[in-house]
Amino acid sequence: MRQKIVAGNWKMNKNLVETKALISDLKAQANTSGARVIITPSFVNLALAVSETEGSGIEVAAQNMSQHDSGAYTGEVSAAMLKSAGVNVVILGHSERRAYYGETDALLVEKVNKALAEGMEVIFCFGEELEERKANKHFDVVASQISNALFHLEASAFKNVILAYEPVWAIGTGETASSDQAQEMHAFIRKTLADKYNADLASSVSVLYGGSCKPSNAEEIFSKEDVDGGLIGGASLKAVDFFGVINANK
Ligand code: PGA
């Protein structure tokens, strides 16, 4: 179901004490937008975050997950482990995972399949690099990232998929896509879904924008027809900034 969503991607930030403090600050803020609010502390603090957010309306998601069930995979975290900690949503395909940890479309197929088979919801990230945009290849890149990792799925699986368009050149750079660039790509994403599946599916999937989204630009971006919310990095690490973004998602 299409929803307004604002998810904070904490990345490798906030130790245990800081996680507790940020959640306490977040709970002191009011969500006047009605948007679904998700935070993603590091693996080691997820269980704490689940108990600290109980009853607050703030959901806790993971930033990554193994494609395997269990066994000799040193350093990995499984879907079953996440679920047992009360985490039922996972970010997959973030550009930092693709760039620094070699995550390929083929690996992402496995991860997406595992998460969905385990009944989890997936926030699937994709987006072009600066060179690709300059070469006017951004639509092709996005279409192939989506189709390579998701188009083997049955239409019904998309009820547990949230899409996050994150142009790599806008992540952590302070440079945001303009609201028109975001809208243009989000409309293209829905058309790509409609062509493969159908128009109903295309209009029922939540599509988030990510990349230097902050209180000062969020309202303009979220006002666009095909933008349902955001995946927020830097601005999710301070409660007032994060809620500034959340409350811009009217
Ligand atoms: P940013 O990160 O908001 O700091 O650009 C977004 C993301 O990487 O998800």
Side-chain angles (χ1 to χ4, degrees), residues 128 133 138-139 165 167 169-170 175-188 209 221 224 227:
E128 82 283 359
R133 181 163 278 265
H138 44 298
F139 294 115
Y165 167 57
W169 47 271
E175 188 170 341
T176 325
S178 71
S179 57
D180 287 339
Q181 285 173 321
Q183 168 57 27
E184 182 184 38
M185 184 58 85
H186 284 221
F188 172 78
Y209 167 80
I221 295 170
K224 294 294 177 181
V227 180

PDB file of all heavy atoms in Angstrom, residues 128 133 138-139 165 167 169-170 175-188 209 221 224 227:
ATOM      1  N   GLU A 128      21.541   6.504  -9.908  1.00  0.00           N
ATOM      2  CA  GLU A 128      22.673   6.623 -10.827  1.00  0.00           C
ATOM      3  C   GLU A 128      23.819   7.421 -10.221  1.00  0.00           C
ATOM      4  O   GLU A 128      23.629   8.222  -9.315  1.00  0.00           O
ATOM      5  CB  GLU A 128      22.217   7.287 -12.135  1.00  0.00           C
ATOM      6  CG  GLU A 128      22.131   8.813 -12.105  1.00  0.00           C
ATOM      7  CD  GLU A 128      20.902   9.346 -11.386  1.00  0.00           C
ATOM      8  OE1 GLU A 128      20.079   8.547 -10.919  1.00  0.00           O
ATOM      9  OE2 GLU A 128      20.773  10.595 -11.304  1.00  0.00           O
ATOM     10  N   ARG A 133      24.535  10.307 -14.978  1.00  0.00           N
ATOM     11  CA  ARG A 133      23.569  11.379 -15.240  1.00  0.00           C
ATOM     12  C   ARG A 133      24.104  12.313 -16.319  1.00  0.00           C
ATOM     13  O   ARG A 133      23.384  12.687 -17.244  1.00  0.00           O
ATOM     14  CB  ARG A 133      23.207  12.148 -13.962  1.00  0.00           C
ATOM     15  CG  ARG A 133      22.182  13.259 -14.218  1.00  0.00           C
ATOM     16  CD  ARG A 133      21.509  13.764 -12.980  1.00  0.00           C
ATOM     17  NE  ARG A 133      20.404  12.946 -12.516  1.00  0.00           N
ATOM     18  CZ  ARG A 133      19.119  13.155 -12.821  1.00  0.00           C
ATOM     19  NH1 ARG A 133      18.766  14.138 -13.623  1.00  0.00           N
ATOM     20  NH2 ARG A 133      18.184  12.367 -12.335  1.00  0.00           N
ATOM     21  N   HIS A 138      20.850   8.095 -16.878  1.00  0.00           N
ATOM     22  CA  HIS A 138      20.239   7.838 -15.564  1.00  0.00           C
ATOM     23  C   HIS A 138      18.965   7.003 -15.644  1.00  0.00           C
ATOM     24  O   HIS A 138      18.736   6.157 -14.788  1.00  0.00           O
ATOM     25  CB  HIS A 138      20.021   9.126 -14.776  1.00  0.00           C
ATOM     26  CG  HIS A 138      19.459  10.273 -15.550  1.00  0.00           C
ATOM     27  ND1 HIS A 138      20.116  10.832 -16.624  1.00  0.00           N
ATOM     28  CD2 HIS A 138      18.310  10.978 -15.409  1.00  0.00           C
ATOM     29  CE1 HIS A 138      19.390  11.845 -17.092  1.00  0.00           C
ATOM     30  NE2 HIS A 138      18.283  11.938 -16.373  1.00  0.00           N
ATOM     31  N   PHE A 139      18.168   7.210 -16.673  1.00  0.00           N
ATOM     32  CA  PHE A 139      16.935   6.407 -16.761  1.00  0.00           C
ATOM     33  C   PHE A 139      17.274   4.931 -17.040  1.00  0.00           C
ATOM     34  O   PHE A 139      16.686   4.034 -16.436  1.00  0.00           O
ATOM     35  CB  PHE A 139      16.003   6.963 -17.841  1.00  0.00           C
ATOM     36  CG  PHE A 139      15.468   8.332 -17.505  1.00  0.00           C
ATOM     37  CD1 PHE A 139      15.800   9.428 -18.286  1.00  0.00           C
ATOM     38  CD2 PHE A 139      14.650   8.532 -16.402  1.00  0.00           C
ATOM     39  CE1 PHE A 139      15.311  10.699 -17.973  1.00  0.00           C
ATOM     40  CE2 PHE A 139      14.153   9.787 -16.073  1.00  0.00           C
ATOM     41  CZ  PHE A 139      14.495  10.875 -16.862  1.00  0.00           C
ATOM     42  N   TYR A 165      14.730   5.926  -4.443  1.00  0.00           N
ATOM     43  CA  TYR A 165      15.603   6.466  -5.493  1.00  0.00           C
ATOM     44  C   TYR A 165      16.615   7.405  -4.835  1.00  0.00           C
ATOM     45  O   TYR A 165      16.235   8.428  -4.248  1.00  0.00           O
ATOM     46  CB  TYR A 165      14.782   7.224  -6.541  1.00  0.00           C
ATOM     47  CG  TYR A 165      15.652   8.049  -7.465  1.00  0.00           C
ATOM     48  CD1 TYR A 165      16.666   7.442  -8.207  1.00  0.00           C
ATOM     49  CD2 TYR A 165      15.488   9.430  -7.571  1.00  0.00           C
ATOM     50  CE1 TYR A 165      17.493   8.193  -9.028  1.00  0.00           C
ATOM     51  CE2 TYR A 165      16.309  10.192  -8.398  1.00  0.00           C
ATOM     52  CZ  TYR A 165      17.305   9.557  -9.122  1.00  0.00           C
ATOM     53  OH  TYR A 165      18.137  10.301  -9.928  1.00  0.00           O
ATOM     54  N   PRO A 167      19.992   9.194  -6.028  1.00  0.00           N
ATOM     55  CA  PRO A 167      21.093   9.499  -6.952  1.00  0.00           C
ATOM     56  C   PRO A 167      22.391   9.581  -6.155  1.00  0.00           C
ATOM     57  O   PRO A 167      22.474  10.310  -5.172  1.00  0.00           O
ATOM     58  CB  PRO A 167      20.695  10.858  -7.545  1.00  0.00           C
ATOM     59  CG  PRO A 167      19.644  11.424  -6.652  1.00  0.00           C
ATOM     60  CD  PRO A 167      18.993  10.272  -5.949  1.00  0.00           C
ATOM     61  N   TRP A 169      25.193  10.902  -6.623  1.00  0.00           N
ATOM     62  CA  TRP A 169      25.825  12.225  -6.564  1.00  0.00           C
ATOM     63  C   TRP A 169      25.176  13.150  -5.531  1.00  0.00           C
ATOM     64  O   TRP A 169      25.729  14.199  -5.198  1.00  0.00           O
ATOM     65  CB  TRP A 169      25.808  12.889  -7.940  1.00  0.00           C
ATOM     66  CG  TRP A 169      24.477  12.832  -8.647  1.00  0.00           C
ATOM     67  CD1 TRP A 169      24.030  11.843  -9.475  1.00  0.00           C
ATOM     68  CD2 TRP A 169      23.423  13.794  -8.581  1.00  0.00           C
ATOM     69  NE1 TRP A 169      22.771  12.128  -9.928  1.00  0.00           N
ATOM     70  CE2 TRP A 169      22.369  13.326  -9.397  1.00  0.00           C
ATOM     71  CE3 TRP A 169      23.261  15.015  -7.909  1.00  0.00           C
ATOM     72  CZ2 TRP A 169      21.170  14.029  -9.553  1.00  0.00           C
ATOM     73  CZ3 TRP A 169      22.063  15.719  -8.077  1.00  0.00           C
ATOM     74  CH2 TRP A 169      21.045  15.212  -8.888  1.00  0.00           C
ATOM     75  N   ALA A 170      24.032  12.755  -5.004  1.00  0.00           N
ATOM     76  CA  ALA A 170      23.361  13.600  -4.014  1.00  0.00           C
ATOM     77  C   ALA A 170      23.510  13.062  -2.594  1.00  0.00           C
ATOM     78  O   ALA A 170      23.097  13.715  -1.641  1.00  0.00           O
ATOM     79  CB  ALA A 170      21.869  13.714  -4.367  1.00  0.00           C
ATOM     80  N   GLU A 175      24.424  18.174  -2.131  1.00  0.00           N
ATOM     81  CA  GLU A 175      23.772  18.503  -3.409  1.00  0.00           C
ATOM     82  C   GLU A 175      22.527  17.630  -3.561  1.00  0.00           C
ATOM     83  O   GLU A 175      22.617  16.404  -3.571  1.00  0.00           O
ATOM     84  CB  GLU A 175      24.738  18.222  -4.557  1.00  0.00           C
ATOM     85  CG  GLU A 175      24.195  18.717  -5.859  1.00  0.00           C
ATOM     86  CD  GLU A 175      25.258  18.673  -6.963  1.00  0.00           C
ATOM     87  OE1 GLU A 175      26.443  18.606  -6.620  1.00  0.00           O
ATOM     88  OE2 GLU A 175      24.860  18.688  -8.126  1.00  0.00           O
ATOM     89  N   THR A 176      21.375  18.259  -3.635  1.00  0.00           N
ATOM     90  CA  THR A 176      20.129  17.501  -3.745  1.00  0.00           C
ATOM     91  C   THR A 176      19.660  17.513  -5.189  1.00  0.00           C
ATOM     92  O   THR A 176      19.886  18.501  -5.900  1.00  0.00           O
ATOM     93  CB  THR A 176      19.005  18.196  -2.940  1.00  0.00           C
ATOM     94  OG1 THR A 176      19.576  18.770  -1.795  1.00  0.00           O
ATOM     95  CG2 THR A 176      17.922  17.234  -2.556  1.00  0.00           C
ATOM     96  N   ALA A 177      18.977  16.446  -5.577  1.00  0.00           N
ATOM     97  CA  ALA A 177      18.285  16.523  -6.867  1.00  0.00           C
ATOM     98  C   ALA A 177      17.227  17.606  -6.729  1.00  0.00           C
ATOM     99  O   ALA A 177      16.663  17.783  -5.648  1.00  0.00           O
ATOM    100  CB  ALA A 177      17.644  15.181  -7.181  1.00  0.00           C
ATOM    101  N   SER A 178      16.952  18.322  -7.781  1.00  0.00           N
ATOM    102  CA  SER A 178      15.864  19.294  -7.689  1.00  0.00           C
ATOM    103  C   SER A 178      14.561  18.523  -7.570  1.00  0.00           C
ATOM    104  O   SER A 178      14.492  17.336  -7.918  1.00  0.00           O
ATOM    105  CB  SER A 178      15.837  20.180  -8.941  1.00  0.00           C
ATOM    106  OG  SER A 178      15.400  19.411 -10.049  1.00  0.00           O
ATOM    107  N   SER A 179      13.543  19.190  -7.085  1.00  0.00           N
ATOM    108  CA  SER A 179      12.257  18.497  -6.931  1.00  0.00           C
ATOM    109  C   SER A 179      11.767  18.027  -8.308  1.00  0.00           C
ATOM    110  O   SER A 179      11.144  16.966  -8.419  1.00  0.00           O
ATOM    111  CB  SER A 179      11.237  19.392  -6.244  1.00  0.00           C
ATOM    112  OG  SER A 179      11.092  20.582  -6.967  1.00  0.00           O
ATOM    113  N   ASP A 180      12.079  18.775  -9.342  1.00  0.00           N
ATOM    114  CA  ASP A 180      11.658  18.351 -10.691  1.00  0.00           C
ATOM    115  C   ASP A 180      12.436  17.123 -11.159  1.00  0.00           C
ATOM    116  O   ASP A 180      11.877  16.226 -11.798  1.00  0.00           O
ATOM    117  CB  ASP A 180      11.838  19.493 -11.702  1.00  0.00           C
ATOM    118  CG  ASP A 180      10.795  20.582 -11.513  1.00  0.00           C
ATOM    119  OD1 ASP A 180       9.734  20.290 -10.913  1.00  0.00           O
ATOM    120  OD2 ASP A 180      11.046  21.715 -11.932  1.00  0.00           O
ATOM    121  N   GLN A 181      13.721  17.092 -10.828  1.00  0.00           N
ATOM    122  CA  GLN A 181      14.509  15.890 -11.186  1.00  0.00           C
ATOM    123  C   GLN A 181      13.981  14.669 -10.436  1.00  0.00           C
ATOM    124  O   GLN A 181      13.892  13.574 -10.989  1.00  0.00           O
ATOM    125  CB  GLN A 181      15.994  16.096 -10.839  1.00  0.00           C
ATOM    126  CG  GLN A 181      16.733  17.010 -11.797  1.00  0.00           C
ATOM    127  CD  GLN A 181      18.144  17.314 -11.305  1.00  0.00           C
ATOM    128  OE1 GLN A 181      18.374  17.507 -10.115  1.00  0.00           O
ATOM    129  NE2 GLN A 181      19.092  17.377 -12.222  1.00  0.00           N
ATOM    130  N   ALA A 182      13.646  14.857  -9.160  1.00  0.00           N
ATOM    131  CA  ALA A 182      13.110  13.740  -8.371  1.00  0.00           C
ATOM    132  C   ALA A 182      11.776  13.283  -8.964  1.00  0.00           C
ATOM    133  O   ALA A 182      11.563  12.089  -9.212  1.00  0.00           O
ATOM    134  CB  ALA A 182      12.943  14.153  -6.906  1.00  0.00           C
ATOM    135  N   GLN A 183      10.885  14.240  -9.220  1.00  0.00           N
ATOM    136  CA  GLN A 183       9.572  13.888  -9.773  1.00  0.00           C
ATOM    137  C   GLN A 183       9.705  13.174 -11.114  1.00  0.00           C
ATOM    138  O   GLN A 183       9.037  12.166 -11.371  1.00  0.00           O
ATOM    139  CB  GLN A 183       8.707  15.150  -9.914  1.00  0.00           C
ATOM    140  CG  GLN A 183       7.425  14.977 -10.727  1.00  0.00           C
ATOM    141  CD  GLN A 183       6.499  13.896 -10.189  1.00  0.00           C
ATOM    142  OE1 GLN A 183       6.493  13.592  -8.998  1.00  0.00           O
ATOM    143  NE2 GLN A 183       5.719  13.266 -11.072  1.00  0.00           N
ATOM    144  N   GLU A 184      10.593  13.687 -11.957  1.00  0.00           N
ATOM    145  CA  GLU A 184      10.780  13.091 -13.289  1.00  0.00           C
ATOM    146  C   GLU A 184      11.209  11.627 -13.151  1.00  0.00           C
ATOM    147  O   GLU A 184      10.684  10.735 -13.833  1.00  0.00           O
ATOM    148  CB  GLU A 184      11.865  13.904 -14.020  1.00  0.00           C
ATOM    149  CG  GLU A 184      12.139  13.457 -15.431  1.00  0.00           C
ATOM    150  CD  GLU A 184      13.300  14.240 -16.053  1.00  0.00           C
ATOM    151  OE1 GLU A 184      14.291  14.542 -15.337  1.00  0.00           O
ATOM    152  OE2 GLU A 184      13.214  14.542 -17.250  1.00  0.00           O
ATOM    153  N   MET A 185      12.152  11.369 -12.241  1.00  0.00           N
ATOM    154  CA  MET A 185      12.623   9.987 -12.064  1.00  0.00           C
ATOM    155  C   MET A 185      11.549   9.122 -11.397  1.00  0.00           C
ATOM    156  O   MET A 185      11.348   7.962 -11.787  1.00  0.00           O
ATOM    157  CB  MET A 185      13.923   9.957 -11.256  1.00  0.00           C
ATOM    158  CG  MET A 185      14.508   8.575 -11.111  1.00  0.00           C
ATOM    159  SD  MET A 185      14.869   7.779 -12.723  1.00  0.00           S
ATOM    160  CE  MET A 185      16.506   8.438 -13.059  1.00  0.00           C
ATOM    161  N   HIS A 186      10.862   9.656 -10.409  1.00  0.00           N
ATOM    162  CA  HIS A 186       9.828   8.858  -9.736  1.00  0.00           C
ATOM    163  C   HIS A 186       8.705   8.478 -10.701  1.00  0.00           C
ATOM    164  O   HIS A 186       8.193   7.359 -10.662  1.00  0.00           O
ATOM    165  CB  HIS A 186       9.285   9.605  -8.510  1.00  0.00           C
ATOM    166  CG  HIS A 186      10.221   9.580  -7.337  1.00  0.00           C
ATOM    167  ND1 HIS A 186       9.795   9.394  -6.034  1.00  0.00           N
ATOM    168  CD2 HIS A 186      11.561   9.702  -7.280  1.00  0.00           C
ATOM    169  CE1 HIS A 186      10.853   9.403  -5.226  1.00  0.00           C
ATOM    170  NE2 HIS A 186      11.931   9.601  -5.961  1.00  0.00           N
ATOM    171  N   ALA A 187       8.349   9.420 -11.576  1.00  0.00           N
ATOM    172  CA  ALA A 187       7.325   9.112 -12.578  1.00  0.00           C
ATOM    173  C   ALA A 187       7.838   8.017 -13.522  1.00  0.00           C
ATOM    174  O   ALA A 187       7.099   7.098 -13.904  1.00  0.00           O
ATOM    175  CB  ALA A 187       6.956  10.370 -13.363  1.00  0.00           C
ATOM    176  N   PHE A 188       9.120   8.109 -13.874  1.00  0.00           N
ATOM    177  CA  PHE A 188       9.729   7.091 -14.744  1.00  0.00           C
ATOM    178  C   PHE A 188       9.715   5.714 -14.055  1.00  0.00           C
ATOM    179  O   PHE A 188       9.439   4.686 -14.689  1.00  0.00           O
ATOM    180  CB  PHE A 188      11.164   7.498 -15.101  1.00  0.00           C
ATOM    181  CG  PHE A 188      11.923   6.427 -15.822  1.00  0.00           C
ATOM    182  CD1 PHE A 188      11.711   6.182 -17.172  1.00  0.00           C
ATOM    183  CD2 PHE A 188      12.837   5.620 -15.136  1.00  0.00           C
ATOM    184  CE1 PHE A 188      12.401   5.170 -17.837  1.00  0.00           C
ATOM    185  CE2 PHE A 188      13.529   4.607 -15.784  1.00  0.00           C
ATOM    186  CZ  PHE A 188      13.308   4.374 -17.138  1.00  0.00           C
ATOM    187  N   TYR A 209      12.540   9.394  -1.961  1.00  0.00           N
ATOM    188  CA  TYR A 209      13.727  10.058  -2.507  1.00  0.00           C
ATOM    189  C   TYR A 209      14.795  10.101  -1.414  1.00  0.00           C
ATOM    190  O   TYR A 209      14.473  10.323  -0.236  1.00  0.00           O
ATOM    191  CB  TYR A 209      13.397  11.494  -2.966  1.00  0.00           C
ATOM    192  CG  TYR A 209      14.672  12.260  -3.218  1.00  0.00           C
ATOM    193  CD1 TYR A 209      15.374  12.089  -4.405  1.00  0.00           C
ATOM    194  CD2 TYR A 209      15.230  13.073  -2.216  1.00  0.00           C
ATOM    195  CE1 TYR A 209      16.593  12.721  -4.609  1.00  0.00           C
ATOM    196  CE2 TYR A 209      16.448  13.706  -2.412  1.00  0.00           C
ATOM    197  CZ  TYR A 209      17.123  13.519  -3.603  1.00  0.00           C
ATOM    198  OH  TYR A 209      18.341  14.122  -3.789  1.00  0.00           O
ATOM    199  N   ILE A 221      10.459  18.829  -2.127  1.00  0.00           N
ATOM    200  CA  ILE A 221      10.614  17.514  -2.774  1.00  0.00           C
ATOM    201  C   ILE A 221       9.382  16.647  -2.516  1.00  0.00           C
ATOM    202  O   ILE A 221       8.835  16.021  -3.431  1.00  0.00           O
ATOM    203  CB  ILE A 221      11.902  16.814  -2.267  1.00  0.00           C
ATOM    204  CG1 ILE A 221      13.138  17.616  -2.698  1.00  0.00           C
ATOM    205  CG2 ILE A 221      11.998  15.384  -2.805  1.00  0.00           C
ATOM    206  CD1 ILE A 221      14.430  17.163  -2.058  1.00  0.00           C
ATOM    207  N   LYS A 224       5.953  16.784  -4.493  1.00  0.00           N
ATOM    208  CA  LYS A 224       5.790  16.252  -5.847  1.00  0.00           C
ATOM    209  C   LYS A 224       4.927  14.994  -5.834  1.00  0.00           C
ATOM    210  O   LYS A 224       5.037  14.148  -4.933  1.00  0.00           O
ATOM    211  CB  LYS A 224       7.161  15.951  -6.463  1.00  0.00           C
ATOM    212  CG  LYS A 224       7.995  17.209  -6.687  1.00  0.00           C
ATOM    213  CD  LYS A 224       7.354  18.098  -7.743  1.00  0.00           C
ATOM    214  CE  LYS A 224       8.111  19.390  -7.952  1.00  0.00           C
ATOM    215  NZ  LYS A 224       7.480  20.253  -8.960  1.00  0.00           N
ATOM    216  N   VAL A 227       6.436  11.456  -5.291  1.00  0.00           N
ATOM    217  CA  VAL A 227       7.396  11.285  -4.185  1.00  0.00           C
ATOM    218  C   VAL A 227       6.613  11.052  -2.895  1.00  0.00           C
ATOM    219  O   VAL A 227       5.842  11.905  -2.468  1.00  0.00           O
ATOM    220  CB  VAL A 227       8.298  12.537  -4.041  1.00  0.00           C
ATOM    221  CG1 VAL A 227       9.295  12.344  -2.896  1.00  0.00           C
ATOM    222  CG2 VAL A 227       9.028  12.831  -5.349  1.00  0.00           C
TER     223      VAL A 227
END
